[in-house]
Amino acid sequence: MLAARVTRVVTLLILFAGASSASVPDNLATDSSKTVLFSASLDLLSGKEVVQDAPPASPQAQPAASQQQYVIERIEFIGNRRVRTDTLKARIFSRDGDPYNEDTLRRDFQALWNTQFFEDVKLRVEDSPKRANGKIIIFEVKERPQIRRIRYDGIHSISESDILDRFKERKVGLSVESQFDPTKIKKAEVVLKELLGEHGRQFAKVTPQYERIASSNAVILVFKIEEGPKVKVGRIKFTGNHAFSDRKLIRAMRHDRPYAIPLYFWNIPVLTRTYDRQKLSEDLEVGVRGLYRDNGYFKVSVGEPVLENVDTTHARLGVPLVTGKGRGKAVNITIPIEEGERFRMGTLKIVSSDPDKALSLKVDALKTAFPLKQGDIFSTEKVRKALETYGKIYGEYGFIDFTPEPDTEVDDAAKIINLTLRFDEQKQYTVRRIDFVGNTTTRDKVIRRELMIDEGQLFNKRLWETSILRLNQLDYFDKIEADKAAEIKRNTKAGTVDITLKLKEKGKQSIGLQGGVSGLAGSFIGLTYQTNNFLGLGETLTFSAQFGSLTRTFMFGFTEPYLFDRPISTGFTVFSSRYQFDQARQEALLLQQSVSINPQFIQNYVQNSTGFTIFAQYPLRRLSFARIGVSYGLTRTSIKSFNQASSLLFESLQFRSLTGPSALNGIVSSTITPSISYNTVNNPINPTAGKSFYYSVGFSGLGGNVKTITNVFDAKYFHPINKRRNVLGLHFSAAHTTGYAGQEVPPFSRFYMGGESDIRGYDIRSISPVTFIPEATATPFSYVDPSCRCQRSFTIPVLTYVATLPGGDLQGYGNVEYRIPIVGNIVQTSLFMDTGTDGVIRRSALQLDSTGFHSLTDLGQPANFPDATKAPPLGSGLTQQLALAPGTNFRLRGSAGIEFVVQLPIIQAPFRIYYAYNVHRLHDELVARNPYIEPSQICEPGPLSLVPCPQGITTGFYPRTLPPEVWSSVREEIKDFILNNPGRLNYFEPKTTFRFTVSRTF
């Protein structure tokens, strides 16, 4: 009985266990009908990925599952819009009909997730309703959104264009219409912080956010920026420095030293720099460490800087009383230095890097080019320049790929550095072909004739650079860079190079419109038409016309640079000009107000000139920068005077020894001028380097009625400084002229200085010696005759002295400019200093004409003054030789100031304004001799006599013939208004000048 019960219980337990075990496959099948095997999601902002993997099947289920083999019936993708299904199927490994395998599906899932197309992916498996062993694989995807717009909120220190440029430079790859990529956004965040840090925002915070756009899978990416305070470079301090002062070390830190006005020998600090850690590291390595190593401290150690953040206060906009003070941040920098010992140059060895091959050039000759001698202070800068020099030397012999490698051996005991230079000469190249690209108008032969190397010759780097300089001097093309414009293709096997020179032509035709106010031309407007590189053969055709209140000029010219395909530059100009020199009017134009000047003491005349010039130049040797030339000019000039001062200047002096009825008309000058010049200036309009010299001597007298000899010397020098960003320009000019064969230089050919072409702060043609020319005048008097009760009048001859500016026969002036480009070559500023002088070195040229002198002193001449040659008081001390006013001959003048130049490419004219402060100016009243009346006309006995009577005369003509009461009145007028009222010239040169012109000084 008991056994039967036990048997039934065991049977029930076995049946229950069987039923339970039978139910497991059913439940698995039910779950597997919709099973998510794998899933992954992405946090768009943080970039954090969450991947979930379904747990593996239980060990009990594995035998049952293995009894039946499942097959993939189909693969579906749900949620993809931009990415095609075919593209996704190509990314996975499983295909329809493949055996079902979870490991393979896991690999498919991973491959799909790695495409970075999606922000959410789920792999789901469903049972097929059609096949018992079929499985449907479903990928549920959510595509990453598209960036429709990028916004930067809170930026003030930088612009959006700055950000985009930096993204492009660092290859961030983040742009509008691109797919949302957290990795790129994180990189953009880092780059933004770096860019803000360069602009002093070291404490900036950048937070990326996004805003979803409704009804689309797109977002607006927003970078929330909190810039924080701007961090400036504070106090810079060095410890351990003994060889150099803190000031000198700070000047070596190009990025962290204060902003300053860059002068040649000194910098004037203005503003502090913005702090940037990367630039500080560069300054420590290149600036500070480089300075020490350039001066022998080869083992100098520049430690890690100690940075201290401090709070600062500063005036807003630099006006504390108006805008108050603001707060900011600064970084004080302390830099520890261990200078070490100072080393000297030891032995120098120059060897080939290939021990089996000797050097092509002689070692002894190469050693002479090394700047350091044994025992000199060792300098890494000089070694660096020496390596560049060796590269140029080898470049002259066709070794384009020459590579020098320095090897130093430090002897600590002897404090010397032995240097070994290993030269890898590599291949020597010859020129196989030279081609030109971009010269659509200029013919190849025009370019080729300027090249100093030919096909078939060894490639010479120095001659190639000189050729580029010659091409730039033509000004036919945009600036050509020797290392950028030339594409050199090497044929290593043949040892040849093909050179392709890429050019960009300037417009060959230019129309320039000028206008403005100039000291020389007054208010004017001008038109210039020039065909530069006419017909592509290099000829220049020029026509210009200028109309102004004081000038009118026409000029037509033609230049042929290569006559008969030989380097003979020839050409001609034809001109006509009318120039009105009205000193009072010029002063009024420049000062913008009327001026009060005695019209008889200033120059006022009109000069009309017509003529032509022909010239020719030839290089001293082939392709040389030195040229000799000769020109011939014929000019016909006439002068029309509007006041007595100008008439006396042209007629009373020995200048009138010109043939013809009048010295003011028919002045014909026939001049031949040989010249020699040398010019390596790299650009005729905006030079940055080079020098030029010019000397000419002009002989007038081969025909015409002017006999003069004029020597002219001119020199210019341009040197790039401050890392070739700025230019120091020097200019000097000197000239001397003299007459010969008994003739003198016409006044209009003498030298007057002042104005924008030489000394900028002074008025045009205002710098000249001053002399006083005697003139015979007659002063009228009138009185009432009591005998007839009628008005009677008479005149008394008076010898007066009129001030005039005769000009000098020797002049010299110099200009110094420090040019700082602001916007390329379009806008520039310059600090300048002008100084110069002119005067009369040949005093004999300032003599009264003999005829005019005798008309004043000879008896029998009307209004003569025979006793004027006597010494006062009987005479006036009149001589034929004219004296110069004290302090006016060769008086040194100077101007210093600043100018701004705008060079408009279309108009082709430099517009400039400048402010000048005049140094050593003349500010004085020049007084002439007292007027003179012959004593025989006005002397009388007694103490009331104005002048003593000459021998044999007791009473003069007028005291003797006039009624006593009339003479008494006339005597007082003569005393107060004639004899004691000499001519005066207020020579008040301006202290400062602010002027607008259309020109360059040099």
Side-chain angles (χ1 to χ4, degrees):
M1 207 48 196
L2 181 60
R5 289 181 180 178
V6 172
T7 302
R8 286 198 298 270
V9 172
V10 172
T11 302
L12 290 172
L13 289 174
I14 293 173
L15 291 174
F16 179 77
S20 299
S21 62
S23 65
V24 172
D26 293 338
N27 293 337
L28 285 174
T30 303
D31 294 339
S32 63
S33 62
K34 274 191 177 182
T35 304
V36 177
L37 290 182
F38 315 106
S39 67
S41 60
L42 173 70
D43 189 324
L44 293 178
L45 289 179
S46 66
K48 183 178 180 181
E49 297 180 357
V50 179
V51 180
Q52 294 181 349
D53 194 343
S58 61
Q60 296 84 356
Q62 289 179 1
S66 61
Q67 294 176 1
Q68 186 175 8
Q69 182 64 44
Y70 294 105
V71 177
I72 298 175
E73 180 177 331
R74 67 176 182 273
I75 301 174
E76 296 180 0
F77 294 89
I78 301 175
N80 57 310
R81 296 183 179 180
R82 293 192 303 271
V83 185
R84 298 176 57 186
T85 300
D86 294 341
T87 302
L88 297 178
K89 285 185 176 182
R91 294 287 184 136
I92 63 177
F93 301 93
S94 298
R95 296 291 182 267
D96 296 352
D98 288 352
Y100 174 82
N101 186 289
E102 290 188 4
D103 292 335
T104 304
L105 292 178
R106 181 180 288 106
R107 189 171 58 167
D108 292 339
F109 172 82
Q110 196 64 41
L112 201 63
W113 179 248
N114 289 340
T115 61
Q116 298 185 355
F117 292 159
F118 311 107
E119 66 171 294
D120 189 71
V121 177
K122 293 180 182 178
L123 192 156
R124 184 158 51 86
V125 180
E126 294 183 1
D127 293 334
S128 173
K130 299 179 181 179
R131 297 174 58 181
N133 64 339
K135 294 289 185 179
I136 301 174
I137 310 301
I138 301 175
F139 289 92
E140 295 182 2
V141 298
K142 182 180 180 182
E143 292 178 338
R144 292 187 184 184
Q146 196 172 28
I147 300 175
R148 192 61 51 83
R149 182 184 169 194
I150 303 176
R151 198 171 70 231
Y152 306 91
D153 292 348
I155 57 171
H156 305 287
S157 302
I158 55 178
S159 64
E160 189 170 335
S161 61
D162 295 333
I163 297 173
L164 297 178
D165 291 341
R166 183 56 61 90
F167 281 179
K168 184 178 180 180
E169 176 186 338
R170 296 299 174 85
K171 299 180 180 179
V172 174
L174 185 66
S175 61
V176 176
E177 302 300 331
S178 65
Q179 186 176 263
F180 197 101
D181 189 340
T183 303
K184 293 180 180 179
I185 293 173
K186 190 66 178 178
K187 187 176 181 180
E189 179 184 344
V190 173
V191 171
L192 269 174
K193 287 183 178 179
E194 176 186 310
L195 182 59
L196 288 166
E198 292 178 7
H199 288 75
R201 307 295 178 174
Q202 304 290 331
F203 299 95
K205 296 180 181 179
V206 180
T207 305
Q209 300 176 357
Y210 66 91
E211 301 172 0
R212 290 194 179 270
I213 300 176
S215 303
S216 66
N217 189 24
V219 296
I220 299 174
L221 179 60
V222 181
F223 287 97
K224 295 286 186 179
I225 300 172
E226 297 178 12
E227 291 189 343
K230 193 169 190 177
V231 182
K232 293 285 189 176
V233 175
R235 185 184 69 254
I236 301 177
K237 182 181 178 182
F238 294 88
T239 59
N241 57 311
H242 305 289
F244 303 109
S245 64
D246 284 9
R247 184 182 62 82
K248 189 167 185 178
L249 292 173
I250 290 173
R251 287 187 63 186
M253 302 174 68
R254 186 167 64 92
H255 298 297
D256 291 283
R257 67 190 180 195
Y259 286 107
I261 298 175
L263 303 179
Y264 190 70
F265 298 104
W266 194 263
N267 287 344
I268 302 176
V270 178
L271 296 172
T272 56
R273 296 265 186 172
T274 299
Y275 174 74
D276 185 344
R277 184 63 181 85
Q278 291 184 351
K279 292 182 178 179
L280 175 61
S281 300
E282 181 181 341
D283 277 345
L284 296 180
E285 178 63 27
V286 178
V288 178
R289 189 165 180 264
L291 177 63
Y292 272 98
R293 288 169 65 90
D294 293 344
N295 289 273
Y297 296 91
F298 190 73
K299 289 191 173 182
V300 63
S301 174
V302 180
E304 191 68 19
V306 179
L307 307 178
E308 179 189 4
N309 294 320
V310 295
D311 296 327
T312 61
T313 58
H314 60 276
R316 294 193 182 101
L317 303 177
V319 190
L321 297 179
V322 179
T323 59
K325 292 187 176 181
R327 298 184 179 275
K329 292 276 189 181
V331 176
N332 293 334
I333 305 171
T334 303
I335 304 169
I337 295 177
E338 294 181 10
E339 293 180 340
E341 299 292 339
R342 199 176 194 184
F343 289 85
R344 295 183 177 271
M345 180 66 191
T347 60
L348 173 65
K349 294 181 180 179
I350 299 178
V351 298
S352 174
S353 61
D354 186 355
D356 298 329
K357 179 183 177 183
L359 293 175
S360 302
L361 304 181
K362 292 183 178 181
V363 175
D364 292 339
L366 292 173
K367 285 185 176 181
T368 59
F370 194 76
L372 293 175
K373 306 301 180 184
Q374 193 167 355
D376 290 349
I377 299 298
F378 190 85
S379 171
T380 55
E381 175 67 18
K382 291 183 178 179
V383 173
R384 190 180 306 112
K385 290 184 177 179
L387 298 182
E388 295 176 358
T389 301
Y390 287 129
K392 294 178 180 179
I393 292 174
Y394 270 89
E396 294 182 18
Y397 296 94
F399 296 95
I400 302 175
D401 300 322
F402 166 79
T403 305
E405 182 181 347
D407 186 12
T408 57
E409 179 186 346
V410 181
D411 188 341
D412 292 318
K415 303 296 185 295
I416 61 174
I417 297 177
N418 299 317
L419 183 64
T420 301
L421 300 180
R422 291 183 171 84
F423 289 172
D424 184 5
E425 295 179 338
Q426 300 191 40
K427 194 76 174 178
Q428 190 177 29
Y429 291 92
T430 59
V431 180
R432 190 184 75 91
R433 186 176 180 84
I434 302 177
D435 292 320
F436 310 105
V437 176
N439 54 318
T440 56
T441 300
T442 308
R443 302 186 186 184
D444 283 2
K445 74 172 186 177
V446 174
I447 305 172
R448 199 174 295 275
R449 68 193 182 194
E450 300 297 332
L451 301 183
M452 303 183 71
I453 59 175
D454 295 326
E455 295 167 348
Q457 295 180 347
L458 279 176
F459 180 84
N460 189 316
K461 188 175 181 180
R462 181 179 62 85
L463 294 182
W464 177 250
E465 291 176 349
T466 306
S467 301
I468 297 300
L469 172 60
R470 291 171 60 87
L471 288 173
N472 281 324
Q473 287 181 329
L474 295 177
D475 202 31
Y476 297 164
F477 313 99
D478 288 346
K479 186 177 180 181
I480 306 171
E481 301 283 352
D483 53 345
K484 296 179 181 179
E487 180 183 348
I488 301 177
K489 294 182 180 180
R490 298 168 175 81
N491 187 333
T492 308
K493 186 177 180 180
T496 61
V497 292
D498 293 342
I499 304 175
T500 302
L501 185 60
K502 300 177 181 178
L503 306 168
K504 185 178 180 181
E505 289 185 331
K506 291 183 177 179
K508 68 174 183 177
Q509 296 183 355
S510 62
I511 299 177
L513 179 65
Q514 302 97 34
V517 178
S518 169
L520 179 64
S523 57
F524 69 96
I525 184 171
L527 176 68
T528 301
Y529 172 78
Q530 178 173 310
T531 59
N532 192 16
N533 192 15
F534 183 58
L535 298 178
L537 295 174
E539 296 98 338
T540 301
L541 192 67
T542 305
F543 171 77
S544 66
Q546 182 171 294
F547 303 90
S549 57
L550 300 178
T551 62
R552 184 203 66 208
T553 60
F554 298 95
M555 191 274 290
F556 175 77
F558 176 79
T559 302
E560 168 58 64
Y562 266 70
L563 185 65
F564 307 125
D565 286 332
R566 297 180 61 85
I568 304 174
S569 176
T570 60
F572 68 88
T573 58
V574 180
F575 63 89
S576 173
S577 65
R578 182 181 186 273
Y579 170 57
Q580 180 179 355
F581 184 59
D582 186 343
Q583 201 170 7
R585 189 173 180 184
Q586 286 176 337
E587 292 288 338
L589 285 171
L590 293 174
L591 300 177
Q592 297 299 310
Q593 62 183 13
S594 60
V595 294
S596 177
I597 305 177
N598 189 332
Q600 293 303 315
F601 291 166
I602 60 175
Q603 296 300 323
N604 186 4
Y605 62 88
V606 171
Q607 173 183 327
N608 292 284
S609 300
T610 57
F612 70 90
T613 302
I614 57 175
F615 62 88
Q617 286 185 336
Y618 189 79
L620 287 177
R621 62 179 184 272
R622 182 177 179 269
L623 302 176
S624 171
F625 290 102
R627 304 178 72 91
I628 57 174
V630 63
S631 65
Y632 173 77
L634 183 65
T635 305
R636 178 179 293 273
T637 303
S638 63
I639 303 293
K640 183 178 181 181
S641 173
F642 292 101
N643 67 356
Q644 193 66 20
S646 297
S647 297
L648 290 172
L649 176 66
F650 286 96
E651 293 182 329
S652 296
L653 301 184
Q654 282 194 352
F655 304 134
R656 72 168 287 156
S657 50
L658 303 168
T659 60
S662 172
L664 303 183
N665 294 291
I667 305 174
V668 179
S669 177
S670 175
T671 307
I672 184 169
T673 306
S675 64
I676 183 171
S677 62
Y678 177 85
N679 184 13
T680 61
V681 177
N682 60 0
N683 190 281
I685 300 177
N686 294 300
T688 58
K691 55 191 173 183
S692 71
F693 303 98
Y694 174 82
Y695 172 74
S696 69
V697 53
F699 298 93
S700 297
L702 304 177
N705 50 22
V706 175
K707 296 184 182 298
T708 62
I709 301 175
T710 303
N711 293 271
V712 176
F713 175 77
D714 191 87
K716 299 176 184 178
Y717 177 72
F718 300 94
H719 180 68
I721 60 176
N722 196 20
K723 305 296 182 181
R724 307 188 72 86
R725 290 188 293 269
N726 305 330
V727 178
L728 177 66
L730 305 176
H731 177 227
F732 174 76
S733 181
H736 174 260
T737 185
T738 184
Y740 68 94
Q743 295 194 16
E744 300 300 338
V745 182
F748 56 81
S749 296
R750 296 177 70 87
F751 303 132
Y752 298 84
M753 289 173 51
E756 56 264 26
S757 61
D758 40 57
I759 304 181
R760 275 162 271 204
Y762 294 81
D763 297 331
I764 186 70
R765 293 172 64 92
S766 66
I767 299 178
S768 166
V770 177
T771 189
F772 294 91
I773 301 177
E775 177 191 9
T777 62
T779 303
F781 293 90
S782 61
Y783 67 95
V784 177
D785 189 346
S787 62
C788 63
R789 295 182 180 180
C790 56
Q791 187 83 16
R792 297 187 181 275
S793 63
F794 63 95
T795 60
I796 298 180
V798 180
L799 182 66
T800 60
Y801 292 87
V802 179
T804 189
L805 279 66
D809 55 17
L810 177 65
Q811 74 169 12
Y813 63 90
N815 313 101
V816 180
E817 285 191 11
Y818 186 76
R819 298 178 178 178
I820 306 170
I822 299 175
V823 183
N825 290 327
I826 299 177
V827 182
Q828 294 182 351
T829 183
S830 300
L831 303 175
F832 65 84
M833 176 68 186
D834 305 328
T835 184
T837 185
D838 76 340
V840 178
I841 193 172
R842 186 168 171 264
R843 297 290 185 93
S844 60
L846 291 182
Q847 291 190 9
L848 288 174
D849 179 73
S850 297
T851 304
F853 180 75
H854 291 302
S855 68
L856 295 176
T857 58
D858 289 355
L859 289 173
Q861 296 291 338
N864 62 80
F865 305 90
D867 293 333
T869 57
K870 297 179 180 179
L874 293 178
S876 179
L878 176 66
T879 63
Q880 195 168 351
Q881 176 70 49
L882 297 179
L884 296 174
T888 64
N889 195 36
F890 290 111
R891 181 184 180 90
L892 186 67
R893 266 84 159 191
S895 289
I898 185 172
E899 74 175 17
F900 294 91
V901 181
V902 179
Q903 179 83 37
L904 299 180
I906 299 176
I907 301 180
Q908 297 292 326
F911 293 85
R912 68 171 173 172
I913 57 173
Y914 63 81
Y915 173 84
Y917 178 83
N918 295 329
V919 183
H920 204 249
R921 63 195 176 99
L922 181 60
H923 191 273
D924 201 359
E925 182 183 57
L926 304 181
V927 182
R929 294 181 185 179
N930 286 333
Y932 173 75
I933 300 177
E934 274 291 320
S936 61
Q937 303 293 316
I938 60 173
C939 71
E940 59 182 322
L944 296 179
S945 180
L946 297 175
V947 292
C949 289
Q951 187 176 2
I953 299 177
T954 58
T955 304
F957 175 77
Y958 292 104
R960 188 174 65 248
T961 58
L962 291 176
E965 64 276 9
V966 174
W967 168 245
S968 177
S969 175
V970 170
R971 180 178 59 210
E972 293 302 318
E973 289 188 32
I974 292 175
K975 177 182 178 181
D976 295 336
F977 298 105
I978 298 179
L979 297 183
N980 293 328
N981 187 28
R984 302 173 187 271
L985 174 63
N986 291 330
Y987 210 123
F988 296 157
E989 293 174 333
K991 185 176 183 179
T992 60
T993 300
F994 183 78
R995 189 171 296 169
F996 166 76
T997 66
V998 186
S999 62
R1000 293 290 303 249
T1001 301
F1002 71 100

